[in-house]
Amino acid sequence: MKSILLHIDGDACMEARLQVALDLSRASGGHITCLQAVSFEVFAPGDVYGSAMAAAIPRIKEAAEELRAEIETDLANEDVSWEWRFLYGSAEGRLLEQSVLHDVIIVGPHDIGEDGSTGPSGMAGELALRAPCPVLVVPGETKRHDASAPVLVAWNGSSEACVAVKQALPLLALAKKVYLASVEEVSEQPRQDFPASEAAAYLVRHGVETEVVNIPRGDAKIADTLFSAAQMRECGLMVMGAYGHSRLAEMLMGGVTRRVLSSPQLPVLLAH
């Protein structure tokens, strides 16, 4: 992927996604666009005249400048092509705007100011639904990204899974092996609009070595089963279609995408 859009923020996962962006850039000969968005929409109860906000703005600017100086110093020592874009506004909105001419967006697993949250990232989910390119969610424990490591594709036969495979193709082509993994569901009407054999044939035509894997459902949640399968096969990345059910249905009843975003065990590439 030649054009990488990296979300810049001072959260606990910043170092992890920066490292992944660097490794991905080296592997693909790509360019990193560092996007730092700053919003002054601070909610201050009772701040009728905006005095608290006025006092906070200089500190917000100062913190943003300190973070930029720190990361630019690190980037200056790296052998990659990069640029910095500083924009005012919400990070979600600015990332969505800039994604039009990028191949992938790299974000963390938590929303801004919600480090340690156990819920799914609303921003990552919204970008996965609306951006014209895939979203790579990087957990804070990630140390590096080996582009040649095996990749697990979560396959359920849906159109969302097909889109994810097509958008992930540049990354899948770098991997030494791709596993198309289907978790066997106990259902009267299993969803298999597109069988795994068709996806495997598509990848093979693009020169990607692919193995179809059927995993018993078991008692664990599907997301946990997929993460276990990926770790067992020493995968460095998981690819999946986002929100096969409506997002509202996943919020109310739970779903694989929601579970994956809540606690990713390795970098996950999402597309819808």
Side-chain angles (χ1 to χ4, degrees):
M1 292 183 169
K2 299 293 185 180
S3 190
I4 301 164
L5 184 59
L6 173 64
H7 175 223
I8 301 294
D9 188 61
D11 61 287
C13 299
M14 182 65 249
E15 179 62 31
R17 63 180 179 273
L18 174 61
Q19 187 58 55
V20 168
L22 290 169
D23 290 338
L24 184 55
S25 176
R26 294 189 188 99
S28 62
H31 175 85
I32 302 173
T33 301
C34 300
L35 186 124
Q36 184 182 30
V38 172
S39 174
F40 297 128
E41 295 178 358
V42 180
F43 178 72
D47 186 24
V48 179
Y49 301 104
S51 57
M53 181 180 291
I57 286 176
R59 179 53 195 147
I60 293 173
K61 288 182 176 179
E62 182 182 0
E65 291 169 357
E66 290 173 354
L67 178 62
R68 176 173 182 170
E70 178 184 341
I71 295 178
E72 284 190 328
T73 299
D74 292 339
L75 286 169
N77 297 318
E78 301 290 346
D79 55 342
V80 299
S81 172
W82 62 276
E83 65 181 286
W84 196 278
R85 293 184 187 177
F86 178 88
L87 299 172
Y88 289 111
S90 72
E92 180 183 312
R94 294 297 177 252
L95 287 167
L96 185 59
E97 291 171 358
Q98 299 294 314
S99 67
V100 178
L101 285 178
H102 286 85
D103 300 322
V104 64
I105 308 170
I106 300 181
V107 300
H110 306 296
D111 288 329
I112 295 173
E114 295 188 5
D115 282 344
S117 169
T118 57
S121 167
M123 183 175 76
E126 192 68 17
L127 290 172
L129 283 172
R130 299 177 60 195
C133 64
V135 177
L136 180 57
V137 180
V138 179
E141 299 77 17
T142 307
K143 301 301 181 185
R144 62 185 298 268
H145 176 67
D146 180 1
S148 67
V151 175
L152 184 133
V153 175
W155 189 259
N156 65 352
S158 66
S159 59
E160 293 84 8
C162 295
V163 170
V165 165
K166 290 184 66 176
Q167 293 196 358
L169 190 57
L171 295 181
L172 301 181
L174 295 173
K176 58 187 175 186
K177 189 160 188 178
V178 171
Y179 296 96
L180 276 172
S182 299
V183 178
E184 297 174 353
E185 294 256 31
V186 180
S187 172
E188 294 181 0
Q189 294 181 328
R191 182 174 183 177
Q192 282 294 324
D193 304 330
F194 299 93
S197 58
E198 286 193 27
Y202 171 83
L203 290 173
V204 169
R205 284 195 291 270
H206 285 275
V208 178
E209 183 181 348
T210 306
E211 179 181 338
V212 175
V213 179
N214 294 310
I215 306 171
R217 177 66 172 87
D219 296 326
K221 294 183 180 298
I222 292 177
D224 295 335
T225 299
L226 290 168
F227 281 134
S228 295
Q231 292 167 350
M232 185 184 305
R233 292 164 177 79
E234 299 182 334
C235 294
L237 175 71
M238 188 165 84
V239 172
M240 66 177 292
Y243 296 110
H245 302 290
S246 74
R247 193 172 182 189
L248 177 60
E250 292 223 2
M251 288 176 65
L252 295 175
M253 299 178 291
V256 179
T257 307
R258 181 177 175 83
R259 178 73 176 181
V260 165
L261 284 175
S262 296
S263 183
Q265 305 299 306
L266 73 164
V268 179
L269 191 80
L270 296 168
H272 179 74

